[in-house]
Structures are given as structure tokens and as C-alpha cells.
């Protein structure tokens, strides 16, 4: 029985798990799951919550063993299937794990500040939070620039799950996707974004983001210029029907016979 992966392509953590599985050639089945929905294919449905109490994506079911949280999933799969993306060398693993732990309160803030207010208004992110996180982005990107100035990837000359997890937060900001951030002052990040695209599975795992990116960019453009309360209300007004549209397009693409 293949590994079951509950995910959706617009979720950064879910995209990271999907990409890593593709890169390693690990057999799996993607079960499209809508964040925040209480319908049958949603993360708030009772059946889903019975298996995954956190009610989030990604999540996996590996022969009855259920696990949530993308970094827990990535390290578990890396150990289980002997992934090259999660090498056995203990010091290299220490470095990978260091970046994965740092990710939660740093790299992840990129999506919370720039992506989520447009696509996930149901999360109720406050304008004060958006403003505060936006001020921190320079330091976060600066840290990545420093790391990538001295090595091809975050942990050396070969990609790891640390790169895949970070790329899924940073790469979506590039012009070819949602165009959320100007990387002209970060040449090492720009180089790294391009080499990460060569990791197998990148294109397939980014199909939905590539399709939806231009529309997300058009809604986010003004958000990058101003985070005042008046505009936030405008974003939120667009957000609910926008989320519904994303869900409709996703269901139509994944389940055409049911539409």
C-alpha cells in the first residue's frame, strides 16, 4: 500500500513533503485536502481530525502510522527510506535539524507576512502582526544570504530537506510565482533559487503554485506597498471569495468527474 499524503499544492509545508517524495522516488499517493474546511476532504472534518488532531496539512498515513507536521514527516521519511536528502552523517544532520528548527520562527514568517493575508484570510492574521513580521524579513533573508555565500546549498554542496523546506517559503516570492519580494539585493539567494529548481520533482510539486501565482500576485501587489488597516480590510474583503475560488478550481482540477 503506497504512503498516503494529505496535502494541497498551495501549502508550503505540503509542497515541501511532496517535492521531497518526488525527488527521492518514494512511492506515494496524494490525497488533496482543503485547509480549514469541515467538508469531507477538509482538515476540519471529524474523520480527518480523528487521524490528525492538529487539523493541518501535510499529514501522512504510512501503513496506519499517522503523522503531522512537515519537518517531522520529512525526517521520518528520510530515516525510513534512507533518503539522500537526509544524510546519515551525524554532524550534517545536526546542521540540517538546526535550520529546520530555526525555520519555524524565521523562514515560516515569510509566508505569514506576505502570502497568508491574501490566500488564507480565515486565519485572521492581524494587521499589527503583518507589519511586525514584514520588518523582520530583511534579517531573515540576510541570514540566508550569509549562509549561501559560502556554500552551494544551505548545508554544503548537496541539497537536503533543509533546502526544500526553505525554498517552498522563499521560492514562492519569486517573479515567476507570486512576485512577493524583490531579491535584487540578495544575489546568493537568487543563485540558490535557480539551482534548487534542478532538484527532481520541482516542476511537478509546483504546478498549482505556477497556475495560481499570477492571480495571487495581483492581489498581493498593494499589500507589499501598504499594511494600513484600510487596505487590510480590502484584502480581507477579497480574501473569502478568493479562497472559495481556489477551492473550486482545485476541486475541478483534481475531481473533474464530480463537478
Amino acid at each position: 500500500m503506497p504512503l498516503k499524503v494529505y496535502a494541497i499544492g498551495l501549502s508550503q509545508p505540503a509542497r515541501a513533503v511532496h517535492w521531497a517524495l518526488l525527488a527521492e522516488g518514494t512511492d506515494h499517493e496524494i490525497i488533496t485536502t482543503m485547509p480549514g474546511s469541515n467538508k469531507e476532504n477538509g482538515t476540519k472534518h471529524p474523520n480527518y481530525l480523528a487521524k490528525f488532531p492538529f487539523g493541518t496539512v501535510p499529514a501522512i498515513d504510512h501503513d496506519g502510522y499517522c503523522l503531522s507536521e512537515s519537518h517531522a514527516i520529512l525526517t521520518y521519511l528520510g530515516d525510513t527510506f534512507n533518503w539522500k536528502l537526509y544524510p546519515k552523517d551525524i554532524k550534517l544532520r545536526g546542521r540540517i535539524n538546526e535550520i529546520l528548527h530555526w525555520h519555524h520562527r524565521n523562514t515560516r514568517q515569510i509566508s505569514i507576512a506576505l502570502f497568508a493575508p491574501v490566500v488564507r484570510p480565515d486565519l485572521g492574521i492581524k494587521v499589527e502582526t503583518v507589519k511586525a513580521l514584514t520588518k523582520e524579513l530583511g534579517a531573515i533573508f540576510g541570514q540566508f544570504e550569509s549562509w549561501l555565500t559560502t556554500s552551494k546549498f544551505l548545508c554544503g554542496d548537496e541539497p537536503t530537506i533543509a533546502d526544500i523546506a526553505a525554498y517552498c517559503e522563499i521560492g514562492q516570492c519569486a517573479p515567476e510565482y507570486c512576485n512577493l519580494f524583490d531579491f535584487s539585493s540578495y544575489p546568493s539567494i537568487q543563485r540558490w533559487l535557480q539551482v534548487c529548481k534542478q532538484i527532481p520533482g520541482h516542476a511537478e510539486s509546483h504546478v498549482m503554485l505556477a497556475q495560481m501565482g499570477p492571480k495571487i500576485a495581483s492581489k498581493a501587489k498593494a499589500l507589499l506597498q501598504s499594511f494600513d488597516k484600510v487596505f487590510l480590510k480590502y484584502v480581507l474583503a477579497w480574501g473569502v471569495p478568493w479562497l472559495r475560488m481556489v477551492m473550486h478550481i482545485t476541486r475541478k482540477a483534481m475531481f473533474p468527474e464530480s463537478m
Side-chain angles (χ1 to χ4, degrees):
M1 181 181 297
L3 172 76
K4 293 182 179 179
V5 182
Y6 299 81
I8 190 168
L10 286 183
S11 163
Q12 301 82 16
R15 196 160 59 242
V17 170
H18 187 201
W19 185 6
L21 286 162
L22 292 169
E24 293 284 356
T26 303
D27 189 28
H28 65 282
E29 174 190 359
I30 294 290
I31 300 174
T32 300
T33 306
M34 305 304 298
S37 172
N38 58 10
K39 294 185 177 180
E40 189 172 355
N41 66 329
T43 60
K44 302 305 180 184
H45 189 276
N47 290 346
Y48 189 85
L49 292 173
K51 295 179 68 172
F52 310 109
F54 295 162
T56 58
V57 291
I60 64 169
D61 182 339
H62 185 210
D63 294 331
Y65 176 64
C66 297
L67 189 65
S68 300
E69 294 296 311
S70 62
H71 294 173
I73 292 169
L74 287 168
T75 55
Y76 167 76
L77 294 176
D79 277 331
T80 302
F81 296 102
N82 295 313
W83 281 0
K84 292 181 180 179
L85 289 169
Y86 195 48
K88 296 294 186 182
D89 181 271
I90 194 66
K91 290 185 178 179
L92 182 52
R93 278 203 173 188
R95 174 71 170 141
I96 293 169
N97 292 335
E98 177 186 42
I99 293 176
L100 291 179
H101 287 296
W102 185 83
H103 180 111
H104 295 296
R105 292 291 297 167
N106 293 276
T107 319
R108 187 67 178 141
Q109 311 294 40
I110 297 167
S111 293
I112 297 174
L114 302 180
F115 187 89
V118 178
V119 180
R120 290 295 307 275
D122 58 302
L123 296 177
I125 301 173
K126 296 181 180 180
V127 63
E128 293 81 7
T129 300
V130 174
K131 288 181 177 179
L133 293 178
T134 302
K135 291 178 181 179
E136 298 176 8
L137 296 184
I140 294 169
F141 286 124
Q143 180 61 70
F144 275 101
E145 184 70 13
S146 177
W147 283 332
L148 293 167
T149 298
T150 59
S151 62
K152 184 177 180 180
F153 292 100
L154 290 174
C155 300
D157 293 332
E158 298 296 331
T160 70
I161 57 174
D163 293 281
I164 285 182
Y167 179 97
C168 288
E169 307 286 346
I170 299 173
Q172 67 186 353
C173 301
E176 62 267 33
Y177 293 117
C178 302
N179 198 24
L180 300 175
F181 192 83
D182 180 4
F183 290 107
S184 59
S185 298
Y186 303 94
S188 295
I189 291 179
Q190 291 184 76
R191 172 196 57 74
W192 171 76
L193 290 174
Q194 294 307 310
V195 297
C196 282
K197 289 181 181 179
Q198 306 307 312
I199 301 172
H202 173 272
E204 185 175 344
S205 60
H206 285 71
V207 168
M208 184 178 291
L209 184 65
Q211 291 174 343
M212 304 302 296
K215 292 184 178 180
I216 295 173
S218 69
K219 295 292 184 292
K221 184 177 180 180
L223 187 60
L224 295 176
Q225 300 171 347
S226 172
F227 289 97
D228 59 51
K229 293 183 179 180
V230 173
F231 182 71
L232 186 65
K233 289 180 180 179
Y234 169 81
V235 172
L236 293 178
W238 271 97
V240 173
W242 170 246
L243 183 60
R244 289 185 187 134
M245 183 176 73
V246 170
M247 290 180 175
H248 175 74
I249 292 173
T250 301
R251 291 191 182 107
K252 188 173 181 181
M254 299 302 298
F255 311 106
E257 295 180 359
S258 64
M259 299 302 291

